[in-house]
Amino acid sequence: MTITDFNMFNETQDAVNKFVFKEEKKDFIYKRAELKLIFLELPKFQKKLEE
C-alpha cells in the first residue's frame, strides 16, 4: 500500500485505487491476488475519524 499526500490519479475522485498486473501484448490479467498495487490519496480521503 502506498499513501500519498498528493493526488496521483486525476481520472477519479476515489481515495483508494487498486491495480493488478496485466500482460501488455496479449492483454490477460495476472490473477494471483497477492500482487496488487493499492494507493491511498490523502487529499481525496474525506472520512471523519468517527467513520
XYZ file of all heavy atoms in Angstrom:
442
model
N 0.841 -1.159 0.000
C 0.000 0.000 0.000
C 0.894 1.233 0.000
O 1.875 1.298 0.724
C -0.908 0.017 1.222
C -1.710 1.304 1.306
S -2.846 1.311 2.664
C -4.348 1.194 1.741
N 0.505 2.187 -0.837
C 1.215 3.462 -0.902
C 0.263 4.567 -0.493
O -0.843 4.664 -1.016
C 1.717 3.722 -2.345
O 2.596 2.663 -2.716
C 2.454 5.044 -2.429
N 0.685 5.373 0.465
C -0.113 6.514 0.913
C 0.566 7.772 0.403
O 1.760 7.980 0.649
C -0.222 6.537 2.447
C -0.887 5.248 2.934
C -0.995 7.764 2.914
C -0.880 5.071 4.434
N -0.199 8.594 -0.316
C 0.376 9.820 -0.865
C -0.306 11.042 -0.258
O -1.478 10.994 0.112
C 0.222 9.893 -2.396
O -1.168 9.980 -2.720
C 0.840 8.680 -3.074
N 0.431 12.119 -0.142
C -0.137 13.382 0.340
C -0.454 14.310 -0.831
O -0.554 15.513 -0.678
C 0.785 14.051 1.353
C 2.138 14.410 0.766
O 2.435 13.995 -0.374
O 2.904 15.108 1.448
N -0.604 13.722 -2.010
C -0.951 14.459 -3.226
C -1.838 13.575 -4.088
O -1.923 12.363 -3.873
C 0.310 14.864 -4.004
C 1.181 13.695 -4.380
C 1.000 13.037 -5.587
C 2.177 13.241 -3.519
C 1.792 11.951 -5.935
C 2.966 12.156 -3.859
C 2.781 11.515 -5.066
N -2.518 14.156 -5.044
C -3.372 13.407 -5.966
C -2.517 12.787 -7.067
O -1.772 13.491 -7.743
C -4.426 14.317 -6.591
C -5.460 14.762 -5.590
O -5.667 14.118 -4.573
N -6.103 15.864 -5.856
N -2.632 11.495 -7.236
C -1.903 10.791 -8.291
C -2.773 10.565 -9.522
O -2.270 10.540 -10.634
C -1.434 9.418 -7.798
C -0.292 9.475 -6.824
S 0.343 7.839 -6.417
C 1.047 7.305 -7.960
N -4.077 10.354 -9.304
C -4.967 9.953 -10.379
C -6.076 10.977 -10.548
O -7.042 10.993 -9.781
C -5.542 8.560 -10.101
C -4.472 7.538 -9.782
C -4.280 7.085 -8.491
C -3.648 7.063 -10.783
C -3.289 6.167 -8.194
C -2.657 6.144 -10.510
C -2.470 5.689 -9.212
N -5.959 11.811 -11.544
C -6.975 12.825 -11.816
C -8.224 12.239 -12.463
O -9.257 12.881 -12.515
C -6.399 13.926 -12.709
C -5.313 14.696 -12.000
O -5.375 14.894 -10.793
N -4.302 15.117 -12.740
N -8.137 10.993 -12.930
C -9.257 10.341 -13.608
C -10.388 9.965 -12.655
O -11.483 9.631 -13.088
C -8.788 9.066 -14.327
C -7.733 9.283 -15.387
C -6.314 9.322 -14.830
O -6.111 9.227 -13.614
O -5.397 9.449 -15.644
N -10.130 9.969 -11.344
C -11.132 9.530 -10.372
C -11.060 10.366 -9.104
O -9.999 10.918 -8.784
C -10.935 8.036 -10.020
O -11.942 7.637 -9.104
C -9.578 7.763 -9.440
N -12.182 10.440 -8.410
C -12.226 11.103 -7.112
C -12.148 10.098 -5.963
O -12.201 10.478 -4.796
C -13.506 11.944 -6.988
C -13.480 13.192 -7.847
C -12.280 14.082 -7.505
O -12.033 14.401 -6.351
N -11.525 14.453 -8.518
N -12.010 8.810 -6.291
C -11.868 7.778 -5.262
C -10.547 7.965 -4.526
O -9.502 8.204 -5.152
C -11.894 6.384 -5.880
C -13.232 6.048 -6.508
O -14.238 6.700 -6.148
O -13.264 5.138 -7.343
N -10.590 7.838 -3.208
C -9.372 7.981 -2.403
C -8.492 6.737 -2.484
O -7.276 6.832 -2.396
C -9.734 8.274 -0.951
N -9.117 5.572 -2.665
C -8.380 4.306 -2.733
C -8.507 3.742 -4.137
O -9.612 3.593 -4.662
C -8.910 3.288 -1.703
C -8.162 1.969 -1.823
C -8.796 3.843 -0.292
N -7.372 3.437 -4.748
C -7.349 2.839 -6.087
C -6.488 1.587 -6.045
O -5.389 1.599 -5.487
C -6.769 3.830 -7.105
C -7.699 5.001 -7.304
O -8.722 4.867 -7.932
N -7.352 6.136 -6.729
N -7.011 0.504 -6.640
C -6.312 -0.785 -6.643
C -5.994 -1.184 -8.081
O -6.844 -1.100 -8.952
C -7.188 -1.856 -5.990
C -7.512 -1.544 -4.547
C -8.448 -2.558 -3.967
C -8.807 -2.180 -2.532
N -9.728 -3.137 -1.937
N -4.775 -1.645 -8.268
C -4.319 -2.044 -9.594
C -3.805 -3.475 -9.546
O -3.245 -3.912 -8.553
C -3.179 -1.126 -10.078
C -3.616 0.284 -10.319
C -3.645 1.201 -9.288
C -4.007 0.689 -11.583
C -4.051 2.507 -9.505
C -4.419 1.995 -11.812
C -4.434 2.902 -10.762
N -4.004 -4.188 -10.644
C -3.462 -5.529 -10.801
C -2.545 -5.525 -12.025
O -2.575 -4.604 -12.832
C -4.580 -6.587 -10.981
C -5.406 -6.709 -9.717
C -5.443 -6.268 -12.161
N -1.758 -6.562 -12.146
C -0.846 -6.669 -13.274
C -1.552 -7.245 -14.489
O -2.360 -8.165 -14.385
C 0.348 -7.553 -12.912
C 1.243 -6.917 -11.884
C 1.132 -7.267 -10.555
C 2.169 -5.964 -12.252
C 1.944 -6.688 -9.607
C 2.985 -5.377 -11.312
C 2.875 -5.744 -9.981
N -1.228 -6.690 -15.662
C -1.823 -7.146 -16.913
C -0.713 -7.310 -17.955
O 0.171 -6.464 -18.068
C -2.855 -6.125 -17.402
C -3.574 -6.541 -18.652
C -4.579 -5.490 -19.077
C -3.852 -4.389 -19.762
N -4.656 -3.557 -20.633
N -0.779 -8.386 -18.712
C 0.190 -8.624 -19.773
C -0.059 -7.626 -20.899
O -1.199 -7.418 -21.314
C 0.059 -10.057 -20.276
C 1.295 -10.623 -20.927
C 1.574 -10.063 -22.310
O 0.623 -9.786 -23.041
O 2.745 -9.919 -22.642
N 0.991 -6.972 -21.378
C 0.833 -5.886 -22.356
C 0.406 -6.347 -23.743
O -0.469 -5.747 -24.352
C 2.139 -5.099 -22.481
C 2.440 -4.268 -21.266
C 3.700 -3.456 -21.443
O 4.735 -4.026 -21.820
O 3.630 -2.251 -21.200
N 1.003 -7.401 -24.263
C 0.724 -7.799 -25.644
C -0.547 -8.625 -25.786
O -1.336 -8.411 -26.696
C 1.911 -8.578 -26.215
C 3.143 -7.721 -26.399
C 4.269 -8.528 -26.978
C 5.511 -7.668 -27.092
N 6.653 -8.418 -27.573
N -0.749 -9.581 -24.888
C -1.903 -10.481 -25.015
C -3.076 -10.063 -24.134
O -4.131 -10.663 -24.179
C -1.484 -11.905 -24.700
C -0.357 -12.345 -25.604
C -0.380 -13.793 -25.850
C 0.862 -14.089 -26.621
N 0.928 -14.924 -27.610
N -2.875 -9.055 -23.304
C -3.949 -8.428 -22.531
C -4.661 -9.366 -21.555
O -5.858 -9.326 -21.401
C -4.972 -7.793 -23.482
C -5.811 -6.747 -22.780
O -5.304 -6.065 -21.893
O -6.993 -6.636 -23.128
N -3.890 -10.253 -20.883
C -4.508 -11.071 -19.845
C -4.001 -10.607 -18.478
O -2.912 -10.085 -18.342
C -4.272 -12.574 -20.061
C -2.829 -12.990 -19.997
C -2.255 -13.346 -18.791
C -2.063 -13.059 -21.158
C -0.929 -13.743 -18.735
C -0.743 -13.455 -21.112
C -0.170 -13.790 -19.899
N -4.865 -10.782 -17.469
C -4.578 -10.289 -16.124
C -3.912 -11.380 -15.301
O -4.308 -12.544 -15.352
C -5.879 -9.823 -15.450
C -6.427 -8.611 -16.184
C -5.656 -9.490 -13.981
C -7.793 -8.168 -15.719
N -2.920 -11.000 -14.542
C -2.280 -11.903 -13.583
C -3.213 -12.034 -12.390
O -3.484 -11.067 -11.691
C -0.920 -11.336 -13.172
C -0.143 -12.245 -12.254
C 0.431 -13.408 -12.744
C 0.028 -11.933 -10.914
C 1.151 -14.250 -11.921
C 0.748 -12.763 -10.081
C 1.306 -13.917 -10.584
O 2.019 -14.745 -9.761
N -3.748 -13.218 -12.144
C -4.841 -13.407 -11.196
C -4.430 -13.705 -9.771
O -5.278 -13.882 -8.917
C -5.771 -14.494 -11.712
C -6.412 -14.065 -12.998
C -7.362 -15.086 -13.534
C -7.844 -14.538 -14.835
N -8.788 -15.130 -15.552
N -3.159 -13.734 -9.474
C -2.731 -14.011 -8.106
C -2.979 -12.757 -7.262
O -2.372 -11.721 -7.461
C -1.251 -14.385 -8.067
C -0.889 -15.524 -8.985
C -0.759 -16.872 -8.355
N -0.248 -16.912 -7.026
C 0.740 -17.677 -6.646
N 1.386 -18.401 -7.521
N 1.101 -17.717 -5.388
N -3.882 -12.845 -6.341
C -4.357 -11.692 -5.566
C -3.268 -11.034 -4.728
O -3.380 -9.866 -4.380
C -5.514 -12.109 -4.667
N -2.215 -11.766 -4.405
C -1.192 -11.175 -3.544
C -0.355 -10.105 -4.256
O 0.392 -9.387 -3.619
C -0.284 -12.237 -2.933
C 0.497 -13.055 -3.924
C -0.213 -14.332 -4.347
O -1.395 -14.500 -4.050
O 0.445 -15.158 -4.992
N -0.466 -10.014 -5.571
C 0.251 -8.975 -6.311
C -0.723 -7.884 -6.743
O -1.341 -7.960 -7.782
C 0.954 -9.565 -7.531
C 2.200 -10.372 -7.245
C 2.775 -10.939 -8.537
C 3.249 -9.527 -6.554
N -0.875 -6.886 -5.891
C -1.747 -5.749 -6.159
C -1.031 -4.483 -5.747
O -0.243 -4.498 -4.805
C -3.023 -5.842 -5.329
C -4.193 -6.400 -6.028
C -5.422 -6.271 -5.172
C -6.462 -7.222 -5.699
N -7.622 -7.317 -4.861
N -1.307 -3.413 -6.427
C -0.828 -2.098 -6.014
C -2.030 -1.331 -5.490
O -3.047 -1.216 -6.171
C -0.215 -1.355 -7.204
C 0.968 -2.034 -7.885
C 1.346 -1.281 -9.150
C 2.142 -2.108 -6.946
N -1.930 -0.834 -4.277
C -3.025 -0.083 -3.667
C -2.504 1.294 -3.301
O -1.475 1.423 -2.633
C -3.564 -0.805 -2.413
C -4.023 -2.211 -2.785
C -4.685 0.004 -1.771
C -4.369 -3.073 -1.600
N -3.219 2.319 -3.745
C -2.838 3.697 -3.471
C -3.933 4.389 -2.683
O -5.107 4.307 -3.042
C -2.618 4.469 -4.787
C -1.464 3.943 -5.589
C -1.672 2.974 -6.558
C -0.183 4.413 -5.388
C -0.616 2.484 -7.304
C 0.878 3.934 -6.130
C 0.661 2.963 -7.096
N -3.555 5.071 -1.623
C -4.472 5.897 -0.853
C -4.008 7.339 -1.009
O -2.910 7.691 -0.587
C -4.474 5.505 0.627
C -5.214 6.440 1.572
C -6.689 6.539 1.215
C -5.042 5.998 3.006
N -4.844 8.147 -1.640
C -4.523 9.561 -1.866
C -5.167 10.386 -0.757
O -6.382 10.553 -0.715
C -5.038 10.006 -3.229
C -4.416 9.230 -4.376
C -5.090 9.534 -5.687
O -4.674 10.487 -6.359
O -6.061 8.820 -6.010
N -4.373 10.890 0.169
C -4.896 11.595 1.328
C -5.741 12.827 0.997
O -6.753 13.050 1.660
C -3.752 11.972 2.276
C -3.115 10.799 3.013
C -1.972 11.294 3.894
C -4.135 10.041 3.833
N -5.412 13.630 -0.009
C -6.263 14.788 -0.298
C -7.697 14.420 -0.683
O -8.616 15.203 -0.488
C -5.559 15.478 -1.469
C -4.145 15.052 -1.363
C -4.199 13.652 -0.823
N -7.903 13.206 -1.186
C -9.239 12.759 -1.585
C -9.963 12.034 -0.452
O -11.138 11.738 -0.566
C -9.152 11.822 -2.791
C -8.642 12.502 -4.038
C -8.557 11.500 -5.154
C -7.955 12.088 -6.404
N -7.803 11.075 -7.451
N -9.272 11.742 0.630
C -9.856 10.990 1.737
C -10.687 11.935 2.587
O -10.162 12.803 3.272
C -8.743 10.350 2.573
C -9.228 9.317 3.528
C -9.626 8.070 3.075
C -9.283 9.575 4.873
C -10.073 7.100 3.950
C -9.722 8.620 5.769
C -10.113 7.382 5.298
N -12.007 11.755 2.566
C -12.919 12.685 3.203
C -13.603 12.157 4.457
O -14.414 12.846 5.045
C -13.991 13.133 2.196
C -13.441 13.796 0.951
C -12.708 15.080 1.274
O -13.132 15.867 2.112
N -11.601 15.309 0.607
N -13.305 10.939 4.875
C -13.981 10.378 6.050
C -13.484 11.054 7.316
O -12.326 11.425 7.442
C -13.743 8.877 6.124
C -14.477 8.108 5.086
C -14.453 6.634 5.359
C -15.299 5.933 4.330
N -15.458 4.533 4.639
N -14.387 11.150 8.295
C -14.033 11.701 9.594
C -13.548 10.572 10.493
O -13.783 9.395 10.231
C -15.243 12.387 10.201
C -15.702 13.563 9.379
C -16.829 14.280 10.075
C -17.382 15.290 9.253
N -17.555 16.330 8.835
N -12.891 10.920 11.573
C -12.333 9.933 12.492
C -13.416 8.990 13.018
O -13.185 7.798 13.182
C -11.640 10.644 13.644
C -10.904 9.761 14.631
C -9.833 8.938 13.933
C -10.286 10.614 15.724
N -14.628 9.482 13.232
C -15.723 8.672 13.745
C -16.149 7.585 12.769
O -16.716 6.575 13.158
C -16.947 9.546 14.070
C -16.702 10.589 15.133
C -15.997 11.833 14.605
O -16.157 12.195 13.432
O -15.264 12.440 15.396
N -15.909 7.790 11.492
C -16.313 6.813 10.471
C -15.309 5.697 10.404
O -15.484 4.680 9.873
C -16.441 7.491 9.112
C -17.546 8.525 9.089
C -17.668 9.184 7.747
O -18.085 8.505 6.789
O -17.302 10.365 7.645
